[in-house]
Amino acid sequence: MKALVLEAYNKLVYKDFPDPQVADDEVLVRVEAVGICGSDVHGMDGSTGRRVPPLVMGHEAAGTISALGKGVKGWKTGDRVTFDSTIYKMDDWYTRKGLYNLSDDRMVLGVSPGDWKRHGAFAEFVNIPQHILYRIPEDVSFTQASMVEPVAVAAHAVELTPLSWNDTAVVVGSGMIGLFVVQVLRAKGCGKIIAIDLEEEKLQLAGELGADVILNSAKQEVVKEILALTQGRGADVAFEVVGISETLNTAIDSVRKGATVTLVGNLSPSVALPMQAVVTRQIRLQGSCAICGEYPAVLDMIARKEVNVEAILSAEAPLSEGAEWFQRLYNKEPGLIKVVLKP
């Protein structure tokens, strides 16, 4: 098969690659659409340490089943499917607790941290365990289905966060996940949604997708503005969707006493934490890791048009041109948010 292979850091090559070997409990999926994730872009240069070449990256994808392992039941060739990015064991202690995203032996498609390697979906075919497959509704396209994974990341963060009727929520970071957090909050009936970013174009899109207030932290005193909008208290919840010290501090400063700040972004391995502000204002910091069962709900939300994934879509291109699109995303080309590749 053809695949886009990370042969070395900053070196992506479209080339022949061995076909996947399908285990008894797996299916072979012909990839129809695969999205470039921000973590793939950062993984390309080795900065995350979780994509050791040679590797086929890619974990946001959809396609059709082309072959079945001997033990697969309930699926047939030709079924339209998408799949979770996390591969977990069914008998793991965390899985049995309903926390498969925290499974001790979990692997992630298209990731190789050194201890293990799992080739991903920047290829014509990928092998997928049957227990992480999901059917694509008839009125959801392959391109839309390839963006279910980042929506599910946003949905998981919202699901973990205690929200009451008419609460005010702050979303710090209006990149792809932040924009999906805004949409999921709106679908869940959140009261006032405040989106924060440095880029005006992203903020305008946040407004179109459901944010009631948009604040540019490069031009406005965002904490002062939020206090003015919340009777001087601060927001009830905040979502930090970047992962650096500055945005974490903005999220903490934006909420009221007793609030919850959900941490989704993880760009930096460590950040400076204002410990006294967190302790004396009794703020709860909640980490949110990946996805834990949100796929069916997200697929239904996309089918019902409660979440507009295509508003985030910047371009669709052949997989053979993938290296060029990776470089454009790496260079932070203005206007580029989500690129979906077609093998």
Side-chain angles (χ1 to χ4, degrees):
M1 68 174 182
K2 292 291 188 181
L4 185 66
V5 184
L6 182 67
E7 288 194 333
Y9 290 128
N10 293 313
K11 183 182 179 183
L12 282 163
V13 180
Y14 182 70
K15 59 186 286 189
D16 290 326
F17 195 79
D19 292 337
Q21 299 300 305
V22 180
D24 288 350
D25 65 341
E26 294 180 341
V27 303
L28 186 66
V29 175
R30 177 183 290 277
V31 180
E32 303 287 352
V34 53
I36 301 178
C37 177
S39 63
D40 294 322
V41 177
H42 292 296
M44 180 180 69
D45 69 356
S47 59
T48 64
R50 288 183 52 78
R51 286 163 173 79
V52 179
L55 178 69
V56 177
M57 298 189 291
H59 57 270
E60 304 175 1
T64 54
I65 294 177
S66 64
L68 306 171
K70 291 186 293 185
V72 173
K73 298 179 180 178
W75 299 96
K76 64 181 186 301
T77 57
D79 281 346
R80 302 169 71 246
V81 295
T82 185
F83 36 85
D84 205 319
S85 56
T86 301
I87 300 172
Y88 53 91
K89 292 185 178 180
M90 298 297 287
D91 61 352
D92 179 84
W93 187 90
Y94 287 98
T95 301
R96 290 178 174 181
K97 288 285 187 180
L99 298 168
Y100 74 71
N101 59 319
L102 304 180
S103 168
D104 283 329
D105 296 315
R106 72 189 186 277
M107 292 189 289
V108 180
L109 280 169
V111 169
S112 171
D115 298 331
W116 48 264
K117 183 191 297 284
R118 183 80 191 206
H119 292 299
F122 288 127
E124 291 181 300
F125 295 95
V126 64
N127 55 312
I128 302 294
Q130 63 177 331
H131 66 277
I132 67 169
L133 291 172
Y134 296 92
R135 298 184 193 278
I136 302 174
E138 288 185 8
D139 46 358
V140 174
S141 69
F142 287 120
T143 294
Q144 290 173 318
S146 73
M147 289 187 277
V148 169
E149 198 268 356
V151 183
V153 169
H156 182 60
V158 173
E159 184 66 20
L160 288 173
T161 306
L163 280 169
S164 298
W165 180 253
N166 210 36
D167 272 354
T168 295
V170 168
V171 181
V172 185
S174 294
M176 180 181 63
I177 301 295
L179 292 170
F180 285 142
V181 170
V182 167
Q183 293 189 70
V184 174
L185 284 170
R186 178 55 64 221
K188 196 163 183 176
C190 188
K192 186 177 294 179
I193 302 171
I194 303 169
I196 299 173
D197 204 273
L198 292 165
E199 298 182 28
E200 201 62 36
E201 187 174 356
K202 291 180 179 178
L203 286 170
Q204 293 301 320
L205 186 53
E208 294 170 13
L209 294 175
D212 301 286
V213 179
I214 56 174
L215 298 174
N216 189 321
S217 54
K219 302 176 181 178
Q220 297 167 275
E221 295 183 47
V222 295
V223 174
K224 183 177 179 180
E225 296 280 354
I226 291 167
L227 290 174
L229 291 165
T230 57
Q231 294 76 52
R233 289 191 301 270
D236 300 291
V237 297
F239 296 84
E240 200 289 327
V241 202
V242 182
I244 59 176
S245 297
E246 292 82 0
T247 49
L248 172 62
N249 279 268
T250 296
I252 291 171
D253 291 343
S254 296
V255 295
R256 61 168 171 78
K257 290 180 282 188
T260 294
V261 176
T262 297
L263 310 178
V264 187
N266 62 353
L267 190 59
S268 299
S270 61
V271 295
L273 177 68
M275 183 63 74
Q276 290 186 350
V278 171
V279 172
T280 60
R281 297 170 64 218
Q282 197 168 299
I283 292 170
R284 177 191 182 202
L285 300 181
Q286 168 72 62
S288 179
C289 176
I291 299 150
C292 195
E294 289 81 13
Y295 262 58
V298 169
L299 283 163
D300 286 344
M301 290 168 71
I302 293 172
R304 293 194 302 266
K305 304 189 186 307
E306 291 179 352
V307 172
N308 181 358
V309 292
E310 290 176 318
I312 314 296
L313 182 62
S314 303
E316 294 179 82
L319 181 64
S320 58
E321 299 175 5
E324 175 189 343
W325 286 99
F326 258 88
Q327 194 60 50
R328 291 171 69 174
L329 287 163
Y330 188 77
N331 293 338
K332 298 182 179 180
E333 182 177 312
L336 276 187
I337 298 177
K338 171 58 68 176
V339 175
V340 170
L341 301 176
K342 301 292 187 74

